[in-house]
Amino acid sequence: MFGFITRLAVIVSIPVISLTRKANAGVVQTAVSQYPQELIFALCGVMMFAGALASIVTPDPEGVKPTKPMAKLIYSFFGSVSALTYLVFCEKDLSLVHALWVGGVSFVSPVAIPSLKALVFELMPIAMQTLKSFISKWIGQSKGNGNG
């Protein structure tokens, strides 16, 4: 039954979209020409939502601890907001490619953020130990040179 309804919706949607497109052609053209930045900003919001939804539905890769859907949503939101903030304040221009980039960041953030967190917390003790050994070796050599 679901398959039938889906196929029926696809068959009926093509003429409806065509008629709607012809009826609203002037309105859409006017809106695109007068408000291009606002429409791209709205498209960024849609892509944020689509990327977050795709990241929640997509299973976690192997080797990465599974993330809860709510955490994925939060990671997606903050990743895409940071990408949009970067675009607005650093690039100072929006295009259709930027909207796709915001959606991509929203999709990738739930996997990238925990991986970066694990990388930092695994490498931090190693880096601290290396720094301590370097400093102790350096201080030890300077004391040895002063006495001799």
Side-chain angles (χ1 to χ4, degrees):
M1 187 68 172
F2 178 74
F4 173 71
I5 293 173
T6 305
R7 287 180 183 94
L8 187 63
V10 169
I11 291 169
V12 171
S13 67
I14 294 172
V16 169
I17 291 172
S18 177
L19 290 174
T20 307
R21 190 170 163 198
K22 288 178 184 175
N24 296 326
V27 174
V28 172
Q29 192 69 15
T30 304
V32 169
S33 65
Q34 289 182 356
Y35 305 106
Q37 297 296 319
E38 291 82 1
L39 290 174
I40 292 174
F41 195 74
L43 182 61
C44 286
V46 169
M47 293 305 291
M48 278 183 199
F49 177 74
L53 184 65
S55 69
I56 290 171
V57 173
T58 305
D60 292 323
E62 259 185 65
V64 176
K65 183 178 153 187
T67 309
K68 295 179 181 176
M70 191 61 175
K72 284 184 177 184
L73 182 68
I74 291 169
Y75 290 151
S76 289
F77 176 73
F78 283 116
S80 58
V81 166
S82 64
L84 188 61
T85 303
Y86 169 78
L87 288 173
V88 169
F89 289 108
C90 293
E91 296 287 325
K92 298 184 191 236
D93 189 28
L94 289 175
S95 68
L96 292 175
V97 174
H98 292 129
L100 293 174
W101 186 65
V102 168
V105 169
S106 179
F107 176 69
V108 171
S109 292
V111 175
I113 292 173
S115 298
L116 288 173
K117 184 178 104 176
L119 180 70
V120 167
F121 286 117
E122 287 176 6
L123 287 181
M124 193 63 106
I126 296 169
M128 291 299 291
Q129 185 62 33
T130 305
L131 185 62
K132 282 181 185 177
S133 67
F134 176 74
I135 289 174
S136 65
K137 195 183 294 184
W138 184 69
I139 290 174
Q141 286 178 354
S142 65
K143 281 185 180 178
N145 290 338
N147 291 336

